[in-house]
Amino acid sequence: GAGCAAHAAEVTVNLHRWFVLGVATLAASCATPRTVESFAAPEADLPGKKSFVWKGGAFNTPAAMEPELAAVVEPRVRQAVVNELQRKGFVEVTDPAGADMLVSVQVSGTRRFVLSEEPRVGAPSANSVLTASGMPLPPASELPRETTVREGTVVVFVEDPASGRIIWRGLVASESRVTSREAGIRLVVEMAHQVAREFPQRRAGP
């Protein structure tokens, strides 16, 4: 309906500072398989489409992501999605008037804090820390640390240019431990690849 079209027309990439402190390395994230949830409008005949144009999306506010970082992330995510669609047989065009599909992406994330479950080498047990044996307490660096956990989602939207309706949507979510900002970028790019791989293969022409 009109609400769906308005939503699709204003798709944004909202990272909620997901990259500001970094997220888990790609290798660590692969330890937990991610599943893509997808929806396709049955009347859309996606395999019969031929061309698409990249619609992209705007970043919500300057506070959501540093402009310098946004300039790095957006083209890499865009290239990930475009590459996968081209492998499926679809052709990217620059003129929306001549495209069968409008493609955009949304990235969102939240963060929470948990106690690290990994014991430190040489760190005393919890009992020894709490005993009144007269020994000094261990330094703070030996106590359990809080770890930031990032929960992020990448969604790819495909719209019908004529009606503005979403005819395909793919979503994948991932939970990760922080490491570096570059690792976070790699993770989001890989998630974008994974979502776009689920798009149907183009039907071969006569």
Side-chain angles (χ1 to χ4, degrees), residues 22-44:
V23 296
T25 59
L26 183 59
S29 71
C30 289
T32 303
R34 299 183 298 266
T35 301
V36 175
E37 300 177 8
S38 62
F39 157 82
E43 72 280 4

Side-chain angles (χ1 to χ4, degrees), residues 68-184:
E68 298 81 4
L69 184 56
V72 173
V73 175
E74 186 172 19
R76 290 174 63 173
V77 169
R78 175 190 183 281
Q79 195 60 50
V81 176
V82 168
N83 285 351
E84 295 299 337
L85 291 179
Q86 289 175 334
R87 289 191 184 99
K88 297 282 187 176
F90 300 96
V91 179
E92 183 183 17
V93 297
T94 57
D95 183 6
D100 296 326
M101 302 177 288
L102 305 180
V103 180
S104 58
V105 67
Q106 177 180 336
V107 182
S108 60
T110 58
R111 65 174 180 172
R112 59 188 172 85
F113 299 95
V114 298
L115 289 179
S116 175
E117 298 176 355
E118 297 180 2
R120 301 199 178 184
V121 176
S125 68
N127 289 336
S128 65
V129 172
L130 299 175
T131 56
S133 60
M135 297 295 290
L137 290 174
S141 62
E142 294 181 356
L143 297 175
R145 294 181 300 175
E146 275 192 337
T147 300
T148 303
V149 175
R150 307 283 174 172
E151 296 175 343
T153 304
V154 174
V155 189
V156 176
F157 295 98
V158 178
E159 301 170 48
D160 173 59
S163 65
R165 293 179 59 249
I166 295 176
I167 54 178
W168 189 86
R169 184 207 64 212
L171 176 152
V172 69
S174 178
E175 179 180 292
S176 307
R177 307 277 171 148
V178 299
T179 54
S180 70
R181 189 161 65 178
E182 178 59 30

